[in-house]
C-alpha cells in the first residue's frame, strides 16, 4: 500500500485553501433575516443588534449585507489563525460561526472538512466535503478531497467516480491520475496503476515526473517476478536521474539491493548520496546502524551527528553517540554528551546511570557516587547503582558508609539479588560473617536458583568453618550452572584443603582452567590439587603459569615455593617464599612464610647440600599450610 492513498495526503492542499469566506455561489450578497431566529432569553440590547434595512416591493426586512460579510470574514480569519496554531477545536468553532453569516460558502465547508480530517474524524470530514461539492459541483478540490476520503474508507468505486469527475472538469489535471493509479494499486491491479503513472511521467505539464517513476517502481517492487523487479530498479533509477536528491527513490532502490543480498552496492549508493548531496538523516540512520553493527563506531558517529542536527527528538541519537564515545574511551566527550541529554531529560535514570559510570571509569569518584545516588529506587538501574556506589565507597576507604548504602538499598528493593551479594561481601570485609550469612539466607529464600548468591553463601560458610556446608553449597551451584568457574574452583580447592575427593577435585580444576586458561587463581587451584596428589613436577609447571598471570598474589607465590621445595629447587623456593612474605599483609601469615625460609636454612646448616639429582624430597613441605 502507498502512503499517498491515505486520507493524510489531502491535508496539505486542504490547509492551503484560504479562499475568502464570503465567496458563495449565490447571485446576491443579501441573506433573508427573520426576527424569530434571534429570539432567545439573553437577547442583546437593541443598540447591538445588526442593522436591518427594508428592501423589495413587499418591504421584506433583511440584514445589512456589509455586516454579514464583515462577520463572516472575521470568523473565517479567526478559524485560519486557530488552524495555524494547531488548535483544531477552536478552528472548528470559528468556521461553524462563519456558516451562520455565510451559509452558501463551499470554502468554509472545505476548511471544516480539513479540520475534522486533522482530528481523524473521517465521517464528519466526509459530510463537509460532500456539502462543499454539492454547493459548488465544479470545485475540483472538493472532489479530490472526497476521492481521498472514500479511498481511505476503502469505498473505491466512489473514490474513482470523484477522480473521474476531476478529469472531466480539468482534463489536464495531474493529481487525479496519480490518485487513480494509487487506487488501482490498492486494488491489486498493478498494470492499470502503472498505466496512469506512466501517463503522468510522459505528461509535459506534470512538474514532478520523478514522483511518477517512483510510484511505478513501488508498484513493480511488490511484484516478485524477475521482469517486474528489473522494471522497479529501472523506474527508481529514472526517478533519480531526473531528481538525484530524491531520497525516497534512493531508499527504495537500496532496499531492493539489500533484499537481493547486495548490501555493499546499497551502502556504496548511500555513501555516494551523502557525499554528493546535502546529507539526509534517513540515509544516515541506515548507515549509522550498519556501521554500528560492523563495529565502525567512528563512521557511525559521523552519521549520528547528521541525524542529531535534523531530528526533532535528538535525545535517543545523543544517547547512542554517548555510548559510542564510551566504547572509544573518549570519556570526557561522553560525559558532555550525557550532560546535554540530562538537561533536556533530567528524570532519565538511564542517562544518569551511564553518566555515573563514566565518572567511575575516569576515577571521579565523588561525582560518580553523587549521580548513582540520584537513581531512584523505582528504576531498573537501581540495583546496579547501589552496588557501584557501595563498591566505590569501599575503595575510598569508607567501608561503614558502603555498608549503610547497601543496607538502605536492600531495604528499598528486595528484588535485586546483586544487592544481597554486595551487602554480604561488605559484611565479610568487616568480618561480620554471621550477619553476612543471614543476609544471603534471606536472598536465597527469594532467589533459590541464583548461582552467584549461593556461591557467596558457600564462601561465607567457609569463613564460619562449616566445610561440609561449603561442599554441599558449591555442589548446588554447579547443579544450577555446570560451567560456574568460581564454583568449580572453590569446590576443588576445598577438597584439596580437606585432602579428600582429590581425583574429582582435579577434574573440576582442569575444567575450570579450560574455561579460564589465563586466570591465575584457577591455575593455582589446579596446581595445588596436583601438589596434594604428589604430582610435583606437573604442579610446578601449572603454578609457574599461575604466578605469571597473578604475580602479586602472595598465596600463589607461596604455593609455587612449596612445589619448588618438593622438587629440591631450594634456592627458587626461598626466593618465592621471600616474595610471598613481601606481598602478604597479614602479619601472622607473614611469620608463617618466614618460618619456612628459616626451616630451610636450618636444614642447610645441619646437613651438607646434596646434588638435586640424588637428593630425596621429604614427604611434607616445610611448615605445611592452608590457603
Amino acid at each position: 500500500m502507498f502512503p499517498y492513498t491515505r486520507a493524510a495526503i489531502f491535508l496539505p492542499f486542504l490547509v492551503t485553501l484560504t479562499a475568502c469566506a464570503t465567496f458563495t455561489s449565490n447571485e446576491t450578497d443579501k441573506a433573508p433575516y427573520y426576527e424569530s431566529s434571534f429570539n432567545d432569553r439573553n437577547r442583546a440590547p437593541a443598540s447591538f443588534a445588526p442593522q436591518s434595512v427594508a428592501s423589495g416591493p413587499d418591504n421584506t426586512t433583511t440584514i445589512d449585507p456589509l455586516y454579514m460579510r464583515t462577520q463572516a470574514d472575521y470568523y473565517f480569519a479567526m478559524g485560519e489563525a486557530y488552524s495555524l496554531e494547531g488548535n483544531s477545536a477552536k478552528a472548528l468553532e470559528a468556521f461553524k460561526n462563519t456558516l451562520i453569516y455565510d451559509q452558501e460558502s463551499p470554502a468554509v465547508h472545505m476548511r471544516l472538512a480539513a479540520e475534522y480530517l486533522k482530528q481523524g474524524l473521517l465521517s464528519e470530514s466526509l459530510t463537509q466535503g460532500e456539502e462543499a461539492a454539492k454547493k459548488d459541483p465544479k470545485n475540483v478540490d472538493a472532489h479530490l478531497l472526497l476521492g481521498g476520503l472514500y479511498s481511505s474508507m476503502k469505498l473505491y468505486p466512489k473514490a474513482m467516480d470523484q477522480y473521474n469527475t476531476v478529469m472531466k472538469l480539468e482534463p489536464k489535471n495531474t493529481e487525479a491520475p496519480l490518485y487513480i493509479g494509487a487506487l488501482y494499486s490498492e486494488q491489486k491491479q498493478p498494470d492499470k496503476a502503472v498505466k496512469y503513472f506512466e501517463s503522468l511521467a510522459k505528461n509535459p505539464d506534470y512538474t514532478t515526473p520523478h514522483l511518477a517513476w517512483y510510484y511505478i517502481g513501488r508498484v513493480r517492487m511488490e511484484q516478485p517476478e524477475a521482469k517486474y523487479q528489473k522494471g522497479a530498479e529501472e523506474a527508481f533509477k529514472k526517478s533519480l536521474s531526473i531528481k538525484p536528491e530524491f531520497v525516497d527513490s534512493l531508499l527504495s532502490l537500496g532496499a531492493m539491493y539489500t533484499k537481493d543480498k547486495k548490501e555493499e552496492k546499497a551502502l556504496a549508493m548511500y555513501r555516494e548520496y551523502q557525499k554528493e548531496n546535502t546529507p539526509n538523516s534517513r540515509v544516515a540512520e541506515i548507515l549509522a546502524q550498519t556501521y554500528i553493527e560492523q563495529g565502525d563506531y567512528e563512521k557511525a558517529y559521523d552519521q549520528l551527528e547528521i541525524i542529531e542536527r535534523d531530528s526533532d527528538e535528538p535525545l535517543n541519537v545523543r544517547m547512542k553517540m554517548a555510548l559510542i564515545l564510551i566504547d572509544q574511551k573518549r570519556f570526557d566527550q561522553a560525559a558532555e554528551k550525557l550532560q546535554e541529554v540530562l538537561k533536556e531529560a533530567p528524570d532519565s535514570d538511564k542517562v544518569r546511570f551511564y553518566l555515573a559510570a563514566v565518572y567511575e571509569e575516569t576515577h571521579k569518584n565523588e561525582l560518580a557516587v553523587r549521580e548513582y545516588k540520584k537513581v531512584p529506587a523505582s528504576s531498573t538501574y537501581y540495583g546496579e547503582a547501589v552496588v557501584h556506589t557501595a563498591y566505590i565507597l569501599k575503595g575510598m576507604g569508607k567501608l561503614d558508609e558502603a555498608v549503610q548504602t547497601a543496607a538502605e538499598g536492600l531495604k528499598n528493593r528486595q528484588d535485586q539479588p546483586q544487592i544481597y551479594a554486595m551487602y554480604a561481601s561488605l559484611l565479610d570485609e568487616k568480618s561480620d560473617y554471621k550477619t553476612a550469612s543471614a543476609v544471603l539466607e534471606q536472598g536465597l529464600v527469594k532467589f533459590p536458583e541464583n548461582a552467584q548468591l549461593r556461591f557467596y553463601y558457600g564462601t561465607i560458610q567457609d569463613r564460619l568453618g562449616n566445610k561440609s556446608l561449603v561442599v554441599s553449597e558449591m555442589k548446588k551451584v554447579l547443579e544450577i550452572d555446570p560451567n560456574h568457574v568460581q564454583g568449580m574452583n572453590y569446590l576443588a580447592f576445598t577438597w584439596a584443603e580437606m585432602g579428600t575427593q582429590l581425583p574429582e577435585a582435579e577434574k573440576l580444576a582442569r575444567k575450570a582452567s579450560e574455561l579460564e586458561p589465563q586466570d591465575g587463581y584457577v591455575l593455582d587451584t589446579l596446581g595445588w590439587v596436583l601438589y596434594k596428589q604428589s604430582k610435583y613436577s606437573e604442579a610446578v609447571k601449572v603454578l609457574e603459569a599461575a604466578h605469571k598471570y597473578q604475580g602479586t598474589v602472595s598465596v600463589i607465590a607461596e604455593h609455587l615455593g612449596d612445589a619448588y621445595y618438593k622438587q629440591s629447587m631450594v634456592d627458587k623456593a626461598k626466593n618465592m617464599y621471600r616474595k610471598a612474605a613481601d606481598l602478604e599483609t597479614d602479619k601472622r601469615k607473614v611469620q608463617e612464610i618466614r618460618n619456612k625460609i628459616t626451616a630451610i636454612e636450618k636444614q642447610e646448616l645441619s646437613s651438607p647440600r646434596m646434588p638435586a639429582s640424588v637428593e630425596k624430597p621429604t614427604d611434607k613441605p616445610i611448615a605445611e599450610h592452608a590457603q
Side-chain angles (χ1 to χ4, degrees):
M1 294 184 180
F2 293 88
Y4 50 81
T5 65
R6 295 299 174 206
I9 196 169
F10 297 92
L11 190 55
F13 79 79
L14 287 173
V15 173
T16 61
L17 294 177
T18 57
C20 179
T22 58
F23 172 76
T24 72
S25 58
N26 288 355
E27 295 180 358
T28 176
D29 288 330
K30 296 181 179 180
Y33 168 68
Y34 300 98
E35 196 68 42
S36 60
S37 66
F38 288 90
N39 187 17
D40 59 21
R41 297 178 181 177
N42 298 296
R43 175 178 293 185
S47 60
F48 291 136
Q51 183 177 0
S52 60
V53 297
S55 68
D58 56 354
N59 207 32
T60 304
T61 302
T62 63
I63 299 295
D64 180 2
L66 178 62
Y67 172 81
M68 296 293 285
R69 184 181 300 112
T70 302
Q71 289 297 98
D73 287 346
Y74 169 75
Y75 283 114
F76 191 84
M78 291 299 296
E80 290 282 78
Y82 285 133
S83 180
L84 290 173
E85 291 174 1
N87 192 337
S88 289
K90 287 191 174 183
L92 283 168
E93 183 180 351
F95 288 132
K96 287 177 182 178
N97 285 333
T98 306
L99 284 177
I100 294 174
Y101 299 99
D102 188 354
Q103 298 176 5
E104 300 301 319
S105 171
V108 179
H109 289 291
M110 290 292 287
R111 293 303 287 115
L112 282 167
E115 294 305 321
Y116 280 128
L117 191 58
K118 285 181 183 179
Q119 295 188 343
L121 301 173
L122 297 186
S123 60
E124 288 83 351
S125 181
L126 182 62
T127 299
Q128 295 299 325
E130 288 174 339
E131 191 66 26
K134 179 181 177 182
K135 290 180 177 178
D136 183 6
K138 295 183 179 181
N139 190 320
V140 169
D141 288 335
H143 291 295
L144 287 173
L145 167 66
L146 289 173
L149 290 171
Y150 286 138
S151 177
S152 67
M153 299 167 76
K154 300 192 181 300
L155 300 173
Y156 300 128
K158 286 190 173 184
M160 193 69 76
D161 288 343
Q162 295 298 321
Y163 294 137
N164 286 329
T165 299
V166 172
M167 295 294 289
K168 290 176 183 177
L169 293 170
E170 288 186 359
K172 292 186 178 181
N173 185 284
T174 55
E175 289 180 276
L178 180 67
Y179 301 139
I180 291 172
L183 279 179
Y184 280 128
S185 178
E186 284 279 311
Q187 297 175 82
K188 307 301 180 185
Q189 299 182 55
D191 290 339
K192 289 184 178 180
V194 168
K195 177 183 175 181
Y196 274 90
F197 294 142
E198 285 180 339
S199 71
L200 278 175
K202 298 172 183 177
N203 186 344
D205 295 327
Y206 187 52
T207 57
T208 55
H210 65 281
L211 279 176
W213 287 113
Y214 166 70
Y215 296 143
I216 292 170
R218 288 296 303 270
V219 171
R220 294 308 188 196
M221 190 179 178
E222 293 181 2
Q223 297 177 272
E225 293 84 358
K227 64 177 181 178
Y228 295 126
Q229 292 293 301
K230 184 66 175 176
E233 181 181 4
E234 291 174 355
F236 290 136
K237 286 182 176 179
K238 284 183 180 179
S239 175
L240 288 168
S241 69
I242 296 169
K243 190 172 184 178
E245 68 272 22
F246 185 55
V247 73
D248 288 327
S249 287
L250 176 86
L251 294 174
S252 295
L253 184 57
M256 285 188 65
Y257 288 149
T258 301
K259 183 180 177 181
D260 292 339
K261 302 188 184 304
K262 299 176 182 177
E263 292 90 348
E264 282 304 317
K265 190 172 185 179
L267 291 174
M269 188 172 63
Y270 296 147
R271 286 192 289 264
E272 183 67 17
Y273 180 93
Q274 298 292 74
K275 179 181 177 182
E276 298 297 328
N277 302 281
T278 301
N280 183 277
S281 59
R282 292 165 65 192
V283 178
E285 285 178 6
I286 298 174
L287 287 174
Q289 185 60 36
T290 301
Y291 289 140
I292 288 172
E293 291 171 358
Q294 294 175 350
D296 193 341
Y297 297 125
E298 186 171 347
K299 289 182 179 178
Y301 193 88
D302 292 340
Q303 297 301 317
L304 288 171
E305 285 185 316
I306 296 169
I307 302 170
E308 182 187 22
R309 288 196 298 267
D310 295 343
S311 177
D312 294 331
E313 298 179 357
L315 296 186
N316 287 336
V317 179
R318 288 175 183 164
M319 190 64 193
K320 287 183 180 179
M321 295 170 75
L323 292 176
I324 288 175
L325 291 169
I326 291 171
D327 183 82
Q328 295 178 328
K329 300 188 184 306
R330 294 157 64 184
F331 297 118
D332 290 340
Q333 290 173 271
E336 289 178 8
K337 189 65 67 175
L338 290 168
Q339 287 166 356
E340 288 177 17
V341 178
L342 269 182
K343 286 180 181 178
E344 296 186 49
D347 296 329
S348 175
D349 51 317
K350 177 180 179 179
V351 177
R352 195 170 297 282
F353 179 83
Y354 277 106
L355 178 59
V358 169
Y359 286 144
E360 182 180 2
E361 188 69 31
T362 52
H363 307 292
K364 297 176 181 177
N365 293 329
E366 295 288 350
L367 291 174
V369 168
R370 184 191 70 187
E371 296 302 328
Y372 278 134
K373 285 188 173 182
K374 290 180 182 179
V375 176
S378 59
S379 170
T380 55
Y381 295 93
Y382 181 73
E384 288 299 321
V386 169
V387 168
H388 282 270
T389 303
Y391 180 80
I392 293 171
L393 290 171
K394 186 186 78 168
M396 294 169 68
K398 300 179 179 180
L399 183 56
D400 290 337
E401 189 177 344
V403 171
Q404 183 181 354
T405 297
E408 184 179 348
L410 190 59
K411 180 181 178 182
N412 292 332
R413 294 285 294 269
Q414 288 86 44
D415 62 338
Q416 302 288 301
Q418 64 268 43
I419 299 181
Y420 290 96
M422 173 54 75
Y423 189 18
S425 71
L426 294 171
L427 292 168
D428 184 11
E429 289 277 337
K430 292 177 68 70
S431 301
D432 189 354
Y433 306 131
K434 289 185 178 180
T435 306
S437 179
V439 168
L440 291 168
E441 286 171 4
Q442 180 186 353
L444 286 170
V445 170
K446 288 184 174 291
F447 307 100
E449 297 301 310
N450 188 293
Q452 200 63 20
L453 275 184
R454 198 163 290 282
F455 171 77
Y456 288 140
Y457 182 63
T459 63
I460 292 298
Q461 298 313 307
D462 196 12
R463 306 281 197 276
L464 294 169
N466 301 324
K467 291 290 186 182
S468 61
L469 199 51
V470 174
V471 170
S472 64
E473 288 301 314
M474 293 305 166
K475 285 182 176 180
K476 289 178 183 178
V477 169
L478 296 178
E479 287 174 6
I480 297 169
D481 180 4
N483 290 324
H484 195 287
V485 174
Q486 290 175 302
M488 292 180 207
N489 190 59
Y490 211 96
L491 180 55
F493 188 81
T494 300
W495 273 334
E497 288 293 273
M498 294 170 67
T500 61
Q501 304 290 334
L502 293 178
E504 184 65 23
E506 183 178 342
K507 288 180 183 178
L508 284 176
R510 288 192 182 281
K511 184 178 179 180
S513 66
E514 289 171 3
L515 293 171
E516 295 290 347
Q518 296 183 353
D519 189 316
Y521 292 102
V522 171
L523 292 171
D524 174 65
T525 295
L526 175 58
W528 194 238
V529 170
L530 292 168
Y531 178 93
K532 286 288 186 173
Q533 295 179 91
S534 300
K535 299 178 181 179
Y536 303 125
S537 177
E538 190 176 358
V540 166
K541 295 177 182 177
V542 174
L543 289 168
E544 283 179 338
H547 183 64
K548 173 186 174 183
Y549 290 118
Q550 297 289 346
T552 60
V553 178
S554 174
V555 69
I556 296 177
E558 184 184 3
H559 285 169
L560 180 55
D562 291 343
Y564 280 149
Y565 183 80
K566 284 293 185 179
Q567 286 293 92
S568 299
M569 303 165 73
V570 178
D571 290 337
K572 283 190 172 184
K574 286 194 295 183
N575 289 335
M576 201 53 61
Y577 286 145
R578 291 189 186 101
K579 186 170 185 178
D582 291 339
L583 293 170
E584 184 57 63
T585 57
D586 187 313
K587 292 182 179 180
R588 181 187 60 81
K589 189 64 181 174
V590 170
Q591 189 57 49
E592 286 183 6
I593 297 170
R594 294 199 183 282
N595 288 343
K596 291 185 180 185
I597 299 172
T598 301
I600 291 174
E601 291 174 344
K602 285 182 178 179
Q603 280 188 347
E604 289 176 329
L605 290 173
S606 63
S607 60
R609 181 74 182 270
M610 298 292 292
S613 59
V614 298
E615 186 173 341
K616 293 183 179 180
T618 60
D619 291 334
K620 296 182 180 180
I622 300 298
E624 186 76 276
H625 66 281
Q627 186 175 16

